Amino acid sequence: MVISFVLLCLMTNNLFAKNNSSPTSSIDAKVDSVMKLMTLKEKIGQLNQYASAWEMTGPAPENANSQKELEQIKSGMVGSMLNVTGAEATRKAQKLAVENSRLHIPMVFGYDVIHGYETMFPIPLGEAASWEPDLAEKTSSIAAKEASAAGIHWTFAPMVDISRDARWGRIMEGAGEDPYLGSQFAAARVKGFQGENLSDVNTVAACAKHFAAYGFVEAGRDYNTVDISDYTLNNVVLPPFKAAVDAGVASFMNAFNLIGGVPSTMNTYLLRDILKGKWQFGGMVVSDWNSVGEMVNHGVAADKAEAAKLAIEGGCDMDMEGRCYVDHLEQLVNDGVVDEKLIDDACARVLKMKFELGLFDDPYKYSNDEREKDDIMNPENLAVARESARKSFVLLKNESDILPLKKSGLSIAVMGELAEDKDSPLGSWRAKAIKNSAVSVIEGIKNLKGQQNDIQFTEGVRLIDGEKSFRSELTFNTTDSSGFEAAREMAKKSDVVVLALGENCFQTGEGRSQTNISLKGLQKQFFDQIYKVNPNIVVVLMNGRPVVLGDIADKAKAILEVWQPGSEAGNAIAEVLFGDYAPSGKLPVSFPLVNGQEPIYYNHMSTGRAKATEDVFWSHYTDASNEPLYPFGYGLSYTKFDYSDITLNKNQIKFGEPLRASVDVKNVGDREGTEVVQLYIHDLFASAARPVKELKGFKKVTIPAGESKTVSFTLTDKDLAFYNINKEWTAEPGDFKVFVGTNSRDVKEASFKLVK
Ligand code: BGC
């Protein structure tokens, strides 16, 4: 029976008109009506996702696999593709499925739009340093607008993995180490990507990933094992995922890792008990790239057939590039090994997302050549890229107020490979960013309006030898110091040296773990050489993870952390260096003093021996401090803020009653500044020990010079709740401390009680 696409739509629309009033139930009814027409094989097809193996605008390659895949698309056996991009290519691919398959069901096109499609915004870790979730909502909505104009329906973002280990290269993709900040950014990014209505052509379905605990890989090595307690899983890892669900996220992605020996991909506790059970998530779950197939390598499934069985039973709805579902599920159902109801549920979830996206109304509506020309990389998008970059910068040091630099009368030497790098600012996971399309540091300084200093540039130190790409390993320059001499001469004659140090963009991202996060190559040696002839060094630190700075942190006059700030990098950096904008970012992740401190994070537990004693028998290192170089939440401004003591409206609250904590923050400098006022708590005694500090609120306030603002926070027992020893989310009565301050270390303190 061949049913035309139009007829199918009419049938589903009629059903809607007759039986339902709410959009969700109408979509459920439409899904049901389509499912009734589907064979088992076709349902399994919907659970199968392939990556584009050929250019859709050109001929398919000759190899047999691709020919087979082409035939599978035509016969409705491919529910989704990833990495097909562009209006024309997506239209062509869609046509293959819609015009040839029996039921004409459209495919859904996914892509990793992580921090922009072609216009690049700061890497997510950098953007989190803005402590401005609304900004992330704005940049995600622009990324969605660009991607959807190029035929993309679904982004594999946001990555909401909490990570405490800067050795892990994928730390750049998330919002850092804190579950509260991470939750705010998770929700904002979901809202930004998905907008008001998924069926709007300028929105895309979001995907909360990687479920779960991928950021806790042992020793920071990507894809490695995770062994995490249920307590930490629930209190630290899961909150941003829950926030994504509450924000209406359409999909989830599994993680590559095992947790306690069980692959996330087949983890019924995560997927069925928590996600689809307790949280009642109605969307779909996609595996990570071949994570179903990799269950064989993990040593859990004997072959791909068993992997398919375990994953579908576990709650994984779609198999990305694993070919386990498409090759084995039909047989498994026919043999009575897998219950067909599981296939039905997974298929219904996939179809639901397609209905929500409006693909059944018009499968080509996102592939729009006009929009592709107008909506991508336009001046408005670039303006937001610049704004988001500026807001992501964190001023780590500013001795003698060397920053901001004057706009005239100075001779400034700009140095370092990264200062002229037009590619690293784009970061890793850069979707369709055009190679070398970012504004470099040196270009930005030269572009800056009103900047009349004498600006000289020399590379001085080369960071990378050879290829720099997403797929290959980098080779660091550890031998060639031939640029040092000229740089030294230039530094001698200059008032100030602006030295760009840090990481190439392909030092972080997937598969980019490091055991040593100190500055690579000859950067440290180069710094020392320049320092000998001119100590007025302003370091522009461009990196995708926290780095170990060693004595550069003591010697440099100023350090401006800029992360990988995206397309408008250099312009934004220059605007901040020369004072058009004051930095206001705060670290979303701790910067260690030395490598061996990793993983290091502010919200740790107290040990039984936390206090320093005169002997050695307390919890410490004998060769380094326990403290990070820069703590979570840290960041300076071009002005200074004084905090009053905390005023509490009561010293005791009952469940359901609000507690108000207020401080007066005074701008004691001589220019306007923006401060992120942070509130932390400590639950002193609980059924299971609580962290020494936990972020529970923050407010970003702009205060004119000399003025004060009262900043207030409201806390209730809900903010004090945690996953306790009885596995319940609840607050426990008792004594609490509340802290308010400029970062997680420098805080004012007060106490209160929670009573029944
Ligand atoms: C990554 C995912 C990504 C997927 C598709 C995997 O290797 O872990 O984050 O979405 O590839 O590109």
Side-chain angles (χ1 to χ4, degrees):
M1 177 179 59
V2 175
I3 301 175
S4 81
F5 180 72
V6 177
L7 183 62
L8 184 70
C9 290
L10 280 178
M11 286 172 54
T12 53
N13 281 334
N14 279 345
L15 253 164
F16 167 43
K18 259 188 268 159
N19 300 336
N20 298 286
S21 49
S22 82
T24 318
S25 59
S26 79
I27 284 185
D28 289 345
K30 288 177 185 182
V31 168
D32 273 357
S33 71
V34 176
M35 297 250 315
K36 285 202 179 96
L37 307 171
M38 296 174 81
T39 62
L40 170 64
K41 206 179 173 73
E42 284 164 336
K43 288 178 201 162
I44 292 167
Q46 288 304 306
L47 315 184
N48 181 32
Q49 184 185 56
Y50 287 151
S52 166
W54 62 88
E55 250 321 294
M56 282 296 172
T57 48
E62 297 296 299
N63 76 61
N65 216 11
S66 297
Q67 283 306 328
K68 183 177 158 199
E69 285 173 12
L70 189 62
E71 290 315 311
Q72 285 180 321
I73 294 173
K74 289 185 179 167
S75 62
M77 291 309 294
V78 183
S80 174
M81 293 195 76
L82 73 152
N83 301 350
V84 186
T85 57
E88 191 188 349
T90 49
R91 196 180 310 111
K92 285 197 173 165
Q94 192 68 295
K95 257 182 156 194
L96 289 173
V98 169
E99 292 189 356
N100 297 292
S101 62
R102 189 180 76 92
L103 291 177
H104 316 284
I105 298 177
M107 293 194 286
V108 56
F109 297 125
Y111 195 47
D112 290 281
V113 182
I114 308 295
H115 54 112
Y117 180 74
E118 193 173 314
T119 306
M120 284 296 116
F121 303 105
I123 55 166
L125 185 66
E127 194 177 62
S130 70
W131 289 53
E132 194 176 312
D134 289 352
L135 178 71
E137 184 173 337
K138 189 149 121 189
T139 59
S140 303
S141 82
I142 293 173
K145 194 168 165 195
E146 291 198 358
S148 59
I152 304 300
H153 312 133
W154 179 24
T155 174
F156 302 127
M159 197 282 257
V160 304
D161 296 316
I162 297 296
S163 179
R164 297 164 159 181
D165 196 333
R167 292 172 297 182
W168 189 51
R170 297 195 80 170
I171 197 169
M172 54 83 41
E173 262 182 89
E177 73 190 33
D178 182 68
Y180 181 85
L181 187 66
S183 298
Q184 306 284 317
F185 273 87
R189 288 183 172 135
V190 169
K191 284 190 208 140
F193 286 129
Q194 298 194 165
E196 291 293 309
N197 191 334
L198 265 193
S199 72
D200 291 343
V201 283
N202 53 5
T203 62
V204 294
C207 181
K209 71 186 187 185
H210 305 84
F211 200 54
Y214 184 37
F216 278 64
V217 281
E218 266 179 19
R221 177 156 55 81
D222 208 5
Y223 317 123
N224 202 4
T225 296
V226 172
D227 209 347
I228 189 174
S229 68
D230 191 45
Y231 177 77
T232 302
L233 181 72
N234 278 277
N235 282 305
V236 180
V237 169
L238 297 186
F241 287 102
K242 176 65 164 58
V245 171
D246 293 343
V249 72
S251 70
F252 261 55
M253 185 186 287
N254 296 323
F256 287 122
N257 53 280
L258 300 173
I259 300 183
V262 182
S264 296
T265 305
M266 56 166 278
N267 201 308
T268 32
Y269 173 59
L270 284 174
L271 297 169
R272 296 224 178 265
D273 300 350
I274 295 177
L275 181 62
K276 294 177 178 176
K278 199 157 118 193
W279 297 350
Q280 300 196 341
F281 174 65
M284 60 87 77
V285 177
V286 63
S287 76
D288 203 345
W289 185 290
N290 190 31
S291 68
V292 180
E294 287 179 12
M295 283 163 42
V296 177
N297 304 349
H298 279 305
V300 169
D303 52 27
K304 286 194 161 200
E306 193 181 6
K309 171 187 181 298
L310 294 170
I312 194 82
E313 285 176 353
C316 171
D317 302 315
M318 184 181 276
D319 175 9
M320 178 194 286
E321 269 291 322
R323 291 161 175 76
C324 301
Y325 285 9
V326 72
D327 289 347
H328 300 287
L329 277 183
E330 191 184 10
Q331 191 66 48
L332 290 166
V333 173
N334 289 338
D335 292 348
V337 176
V338 165
D339 188 341
E340 189 169 350
K341 286 205 191 86
L342 295 176
I343 314 289
D344 287 346
D345 177 57
C347 178
R349 287 170 184 269
V350 173
L351 293 180
K352 181 172 161 238
M353 188 165 91
K354 293 185 178 183
F355 271 109
E356 286 169 347
L357 285 161
L359 292 175
F360 280 96
D361 297 328
D362 178 358
Y364 305 106
K365 71 180 200 177
Y366 296 84
S367 309
N368 182 324
D369 304 290
E370 284 306 301
R371 276 191 58 216
E372 191 172 36
K373 265 188 236 117
D374 298 342
D375 286 357
I376 297 182
M377 201 65 168
N378 61 29
E380 296 92 82
N381 300 358
L382 286 169
V384 177
R386 197 188 291 197
E387 178 199 354
S388 55
R390 283 192 304 252
K391 288 181 167 171
S392 71
F393 300 162
V394 185
L395 184 62
L396 298 174
K397 184 174 181 190
N398 194 16
E399 201 178 299
S400 329
D401 289 338
I402 188 171
L403 290 179
L405 297 169
K406 286 189 298 183
K407 280 196 175 169
S408 60
L410 294 175
S411 59
I412 301 178
V414 181
M415 300 177 178
E417 175 180 308
L418 289 168
E420 64 168 349
D421 191 337
K422 292 174 66 58
D423 206 47
S424 275
L426 301 171
S428 197
W429 282 118
R430 72 244 315 262
K432 286 284 167 187
I434 296 163
K435 200 163 174 53
N436 293 318
S437 63
V439 179
S440 70
V441 176
I442 182 68
E443 285 171 339
I445 292 176
K446 288 186 174 164
N447 289 344
L448 183 71
K449 236 168 107 196
Q451 196 287 117
Q452 288 162 357
N453 295 307
D454 171 28
I455 307 288
Q456 305 285 328
F457 171 77
T458 183
E459 182 188 67
V461 62
R462 196 175 62 258
L463 178 57
I464 305 294
D465 282 330
E467 201 189 335
K468 305 169 206 172
S469 78
F470 186 59
R471 292 200 153 267
S472 55
E473 298 278 354
L474 293 168
T475 309
F476 297 99
N477 165 30
T478 53
T479 50
D480 179 8
S481 57
S482 56
F484 283 28
E485 186 49 38
R488 244 188 336 250
E489 287 311 308
M490 189 184 283
K492 264 189 212 162
K493 293 185 213 128
S494 305
D495 297 314
V496 180
V497 177
V498 172
L499 173 53
L501 298 174
E503 298 185 314
N504 178 271
C505 58
F506 297 116
Q507 265 179 265
T508 49
E510 187 170 350
R512 279 11 193 257
S513 298
Q514 291 180 185
T515 59
N516 181 340
I517 57 171
S518 302
L519 294 176
K520 293 280 187 203
L522 298 177
Q523 296 186 95
K524 167 77 173 93
Q525 289 89 324
F526 182 71
F527 177 94
D528 288 340
Q529 291 293 313
I530 299 302
Y531 181 76
K532 274 188 198 150
V533 296
N534 188 343
N536 288 330
I537 303 178
V538 171
V539 171
V540 171
L541 199 58
M542 193 182 283
N543 44 301
R545 60 156 67 80
V547 289
V548 169
L549 287 170
D551 65 1
I552 291 178
D554 305 321
K555 291 177 174 165
K557 278 266 156 58
I559 305 174
L560 183 69
E561 170 59 69
V562 300
W563 316 100
Q564 281 134 0
S567 304
E568 283 288 298
N571 289 335
I573 291 168
E575 285 170 345
V576 171
L577 287 179
F578 291 91
D580 288 355
Y581 291 87
S584 58
K586 301 277 186 173
L587 293 178
V589 63
S590 309
F591 268 49
L593 196 59
V594 293
N595 277 280
Q597 289 179 322
E598 289 291 335
I600 184 167
Y601 49 98
Y602 84 97
N603 47 356
H604 57 81
M605 304 293 173
S606 176
T607 64
R609 296 184 177 195
K611 281 225 166 76
T613 56
E614 275 173 16
D615 56 32
V616 294
F617 304 108
W618 65 287
S619 179
H620 72 300
Y621 299 107
T622 54
D623 59 354
S625 154
N626 286 354
E627 298 305 315
L629 172 62
Y630 303 118
F632 174 82
Y634 177 85
L636 308 172
S637 172
Y638 287 159
T639 184
K640 291 206 168 43
F641 301 100
D642 264 5
Y643 280 66
S644 71
D645 286 336
I646 302 172
T647 313
L648 296 181
N649 67 334
K650 340 182 147 152
N651 294 323
Q652 185 164 305
I653 52 164
K654 290 191 179 139
F655 281 71
E657 250 177 30
L659 174 82
R660 211 177 50 250
S662 311
V663 289
D664 291 332
V665 182
K666 182 164 189 200
N667 179 346
V668 293
D670 54 11
R671 66 174 283 167
E672 182 183 271
T674 299
E675 168 74 330
V676 179
V677 182
Q678 303 160 37
L679 177 135
Y680 299 84
I681 60 153
H682 181 196
D683 183 346
L684 297 187
F685 307 101
S687 58
R690 300 302 297 143
V692 295
K693 274 188 195 125
E694 296 176 77
L695 182 71
K696 289 293 172 185
F698 58 88
K699 287 195 176 152
K700 198 167 176 177
V701 288
T702 298
I703 309 178
E707 293 188 18
S708 279
K709 269 198 181 159
T710 304
V711 181
S712 298
F713 299 89
T714 304
L715 289 173
T716 69
D717 61 283
K718 297 223 162 20
D719 301 293
L720 311 177
F722 69 105
Y723 183 81
N724 72 7
I725 196 145
N726 302 318
K727 300 186 184 295
E728 287 165 354
W729 261 104
T730 184
E732 295 179 354
D735 291 320
F736 289 81
K737 275 191 179 163
V738 56
F739 312 93
V740 180
T742 182
N743 61 57
S744 62
R745 181 189 61 201
D746 303 315
V747 289
K748 300 284 181 179
E749 179 181 323
S751 301
F752 69 96
K753 267 186 199 305
L754 174 70
V755 294
K756 278 270 181 213

